[in-house]
Amino acid sequence: MSLPTLIICEAGEDKAKQIEELIRAHTELRLIGTVNRQTAAKQIAALSPKLVWIELAPEPMKALTLLGDLREQHPKVQFLVSNETLDGGLIKTSMQLGATDFLDSQTWKDQLPDVVKRIVLKAEQLNAPAATAALAPAAPAPASAKDKDAMPPGLAAALADGDDEPGPARPAVAATAPADSLANQKKTGTTAAMSSTSRGKEIKGSATASPAWIWAIILGLFGLSFLFYKLFP
């Protein structure tokens, strides 16, 4: 990402050139112009920068007033503020007005690489919602009243295929299925009842036959006893 960068500087030509050189030294930034405070608003509207570098000197308070106005008009533009020296009051006011960072000419060469990384990251975050909206699929057009009574495309296609090649009537299949199922259930119930009846007869027959065998054994024992009584009185 290469951020279009606009400089607002009234601290002299030398100061403006120093800032321009710093910007050109970073590929993440792309210089699009250097303007004064009077034309800043028009140039921002015309050039659409993503980063605006404001040099506070020689009139810091006027530059801070411009910062507040521009920040309110362009909430998606980042503003970088610089001054000859670090001043606690200026730093605090700049941050309150929405500046992304504050640099001083004594250390800005060393501090700028880290500041640029933060600016690029913030720019990506600011552009993320717009990119997401651009990639979002368009809403489908409302279906026509003739399109199979607004049925889903897949169902409409299936019905269309069915119209071209007539097949077996579905209601007959649906009606046959429950009948077959009922017949199977009846058949299964009848088979189970017959099996149950057979088992009952077997059990009953076993219960009826058991006393006959017992009486046969008893009579046999009685006969043997009688025989022994006759043979050995």
Side-chain angles (χ1 to χ4, degrees):
M1 176 181 288
S2 181
L3 300 179
T5 304
L6 181 68
I7 300 173
I8 302 175
C9 179
E10 292 188 350
E13 187 176 349
D14 292 340
K15 180 68 68 178
K17 287 183 178 180
Q18 291 179 12
I19 298 174
E20 290 173 358
E21 290 176 1
L22 289 172
I23 293 174
R24 292 192 181 99
H26 292 81
T27 57
E28 301 90 341
L29 306 179
R30 176 168 56 87
L31 181 63
I32 58 175
T34 301
V35 299
N36 54 34
R37 289 197 295 267
Q38 286 72 27
T39 61
K42 291 183 179 180
Q43 293 298 323
I44 291 175
L47 300 175
S48 300
K50 297 296 183 181
L51 175 65
V52 175
W53 184 321
I54 300 178
E55 170 62 35
L56 297 184
E59 298 176 307
M61 298 312 299
K62 289 184 178 181
L64 289 174
T65 300
L66 177 65
L67 168 63
D69 294 340
L70 295 177
R71 183 70 178 80
E72 185 176 355
Q73 296 171 15
H74 306 280
K76 292 187 177 182
V77 176
Q78 296 189 68
F79 292 87
L80 185 60
V81 176
S82 65
N83 191 48
E84 187 65 26
T85 59
L86 291 175
D87 183 287
L90 295 178
I91 294 173
K92 182 178 180 180
T93 304
S94 299
M95 296 299 106
Q96 291 175 344
L97 292 173
T100 302
D101 215 318
F102 189 103
L103 296 173
D104 68 285
S105 59
Q106 306 299 321
T107 62
W108 58 17
K109 187 174 182 180
D110 297 328
Q111 300 297 327
L112 190 56
D114 291 336
V115 172
V116 169
K117 290 180 181 178
R118 290 196 295 271
I119 290 172
V120 171
L121 180 60
K122 188 173 181 180
E124 292 175 350
Q125 294 172 350
L126 290 172
N127 292 330
T132 303
L135 294 175
S144 173
K146 298 180 180 179
D147 296 337
K148 297 290 185 179
D149 294 332
M151 287 186 294
L155 181 57
L159 292 176
D161 293 340
D163 294 339
D164 296 338
E165 297 180 0
R170 294 185 180 179
V173 175
T176 304
D180 293 343
S181 178
L182 181 59
N184 291 334
Q185 291 178 1
K186 289 183 178 179
K187 182 178 179 182
T188 303
T190 303
T191 304
M194 293 175 62
S195 299
S196 177
T197 303
S198 299
R199 287 196 299 270
K201 288 181 178 180
E202 291 176 359
I203 294 172
K204 183 177 180 180
S206 298
T208 305
S210 296
W213 284 103
I214 293 173
W215 283 109
I217 293 172
I218 293 174
L219 291 175
L221 292 174
F222 181 78
L224 289 174
S225 300
F226 182 77
L227 181 61
F228 277 109
Y229 177 77
K230 290 293 186 180
L231 293 175
F232 304 100

